[in-house]
Amino acid sequence: MTSLRWGVLGAADFAQRYMARAIHAADGAALHALATSSPEKAAAFQKFAPGLRVLSDYDALLDDPDIDAVYIPLPNHLHVDWTCKALAAGKHVLCEKPIALTEADFDTLIAARDASGKLAAEAYMIVHHPQFIRAKALVASGAIGAVRHVDAVFSFNNAGDTGNIRNRPETAGGGLRDIGVYTFGAARFVTGQEVDTISHAHLRYENKVDVFAQVAAKFPDFTYNAVVSMRLHPRQYITFHGDAGVLTLTCPFNANVHDIAELTLENDGHVVTTERWPAVNHYVLQVENFGKSVAEGTAYACPLEFSRGTQRMMDMVFAAGGPAS
């Protein structure tokens, strides 16, 4: 398979630490170019990718005929516009989450994708990890019976980093957009169900950015509860509680960064089995699966239609929680 030649639109720290490295390491991918006006930031990328071309602006990268696909790690409020620009330039696009700020934005994104004939997707890496593929298969097989409740927590504390884009309203920051997508989307992915109603949403804001959210919801067959925060000690898990068992992922969202990816299944008879994936890099798997979908036309695990469902739930939570104060 011919390698997909990638360009990175912006020298974000997350791109330098994770995604650009994943593109560089992935089979069927070549890290070709980076667009940034900062030589210092570019140098950090060139340490692990010495042959990387550096372009001075984003449009120059989109105009480069040697680039097949673009990874976009820009601040949230820029995602829709630059995804559409990249598609119009004939590039495949993998854009950081949240790829949009409202469900209505997906009308624009899907229209741009379809008009271009290119693959466009949100960089929602967890669905490529074997722990989530396994969890989905176990639930579908009836390993825990009928799912009756799902609860999830994802938190970290960046209170001291006031300049961080997550703490700034002008860049569409906030905990829900940054990590709530994981607690919401994970429940949808594993169960295959869509939210019916938000029964409770307590949101706490600082500087008009949500820093704590406690959410209760109703899906067709189960209830749901989640806590998402940028002001609590780091913690994460998701549990699927059925009438015949319990399935828990103890490090579902930052696998092998926060802790080792681990799945525990307890079913009738109190039989407990645990599976671990200590060396899997879901960022690399995401890039490789994206490339396979481009090259072979295979279905992609996280199409825009899936991401739209998570954004719909996010919009419902914001509406139920009331405006920022």
Side-chain angles (χ1 to χ4, degrees):
M1 181 175 69
T2 302
S3 289
L4 201 63
R5 298 168 298 181
W6 286 82
V8 178
L9 210 63
D13 180 66
F14 181 82
Q16 185 270 324
R17 294 172 61 194
Y18 297 107
M19 275 302 297
R21 294 174 188 270
I23 294 168
H24 188 55
D27 290 337
L31 182 57
H32 184 75
L34 168 69
T36 178
S37 59
S38 169
E40 181 178 324
K41 289 182 178 180
F45 287 76
Q46 290 173 318
K47 284 183 179 179
F48 64 85
L52 185 68
R53 290 182 57 204
V54 178
L55 303 173
S56 60
D57 63 72
Y58 301 157
D59 288 313
L61 188 143
L62 297 186
D63 290 339
D64 189 337
D66 293 329
I67 293 174
D68 306 307
V70 173
Y71 167 65
I72 301 176
L74 298 172
N76 296 343
H77 68 298
L78 301 175
H79 288 175
V80 173
D81 285 349
W82 282 102
T83 294
C84 290
K85 287 178 182 179
L87 288 169
K91 315 299 184 187
H92 303 284
V93 181
L94 184 64
C95 179
E96 263 311 319
K97 49 78 197 160
I99 195 171
L101 300 182
T102 68
E103 184 188 2
D105 288 333
F106 281 88
D107 291 338
T108 300
L109 290 169
I110 290 171
R113 177 201 64 187
D114 292 349
S116 71
K118 301 296 181 181
L119 177 59
E122 185 176 58
Y124 195 65
M125 74 291 183
I126 66 171
V127 299
H128 303 277
H129 197 290
Q131 68 173 332
F132 270 100
I133 295 169
R134 178 71 168 145
K136 185 177 180 69
L138 285 169
V139 167
S141 74
I144 59 171
V147 177
R148 297 305 185 199
H149 183 70
V150 176
D151 60 280
V153 171
F154 196 0
S155 64
F156 65 92
N157 192 339
N158 71 348
D161 191 4
T162 56
N164 192 297
I165 60 173
R166 296 164 184 81
N167 285 320
R168 293 165 53 192
E170 67 270 22
T171 54
L176 286 172
R177 287 181 173 134
D178 187 49
I179 57 177
V181 292
Y182 295 119
T183 58
F184 297 170
R188 296 177 52 247
F189 178 76
V190 171
T191 65
Q193 294 191 27
E194 299 293 344
V195 65
D196 282 334
T197 58
I198 303 299
S199 50
H200 173 78
H202 170 63
L203 307 184
R204 182 165 65 84
Y205 288 88
E206 294 177 10
N207 188 35
K208 297 185 178 180
V209 169
D210 64 283
V211 298
F212 176 88
Q214 182 183 21
V215 176
K218 180 69 175 68
F219 284 71
D221 297 331
F222 61 89
T223 54
Y224 171 90
N225 187 73
V227 170
V228 175
S229 180
M230 303 193 301
R231 294 296 183 268
L232 294 175
H233 184 76
R235 185 183 182 209
Q236 59 180 265
Y237 73 83
I238 187 165
T239 297
F240 301 87
H241 200 157
D243 55 17
V246 178
L247 179 66
T248 302
L249 279 63
T250 56
C251 182
F253 309 127
N254 289 131
N256 300 329
V257 175
H258 173 76
D259 203 347
I260 293 174
E262 180 179 282
L263 178 153
T264 300
L265 172 65
E266 179 180 355
N267 52 27
D268 285 350
H270 300 289
V271 176
V272 177
T273 58
T274 300
E275 300 176 47
R276 296 182 178 90
W277 294 267
V280 172
N281 186 319
H282 50 190
Y283 300 113
V284 171
L285 292 177
Q286 176 177 239
V287 173
E288 291 178 344
N289 289 340
F290 189 96
K292 288 177 183 176
S293 291
V294 169
E296 302 171 10
T298 54
Y300 190 64
C302 183
L304 291 177
E305 288 77 6
F306 175 84
S307 297
R308 181 175 199 146
T310 299
Q311 186 61 56
R312 173 177 174 268
M313 186 172 178
M314 185 102 51
D315 290 356
M316 292 170 68
V317 169
F318 279 124
S325 56

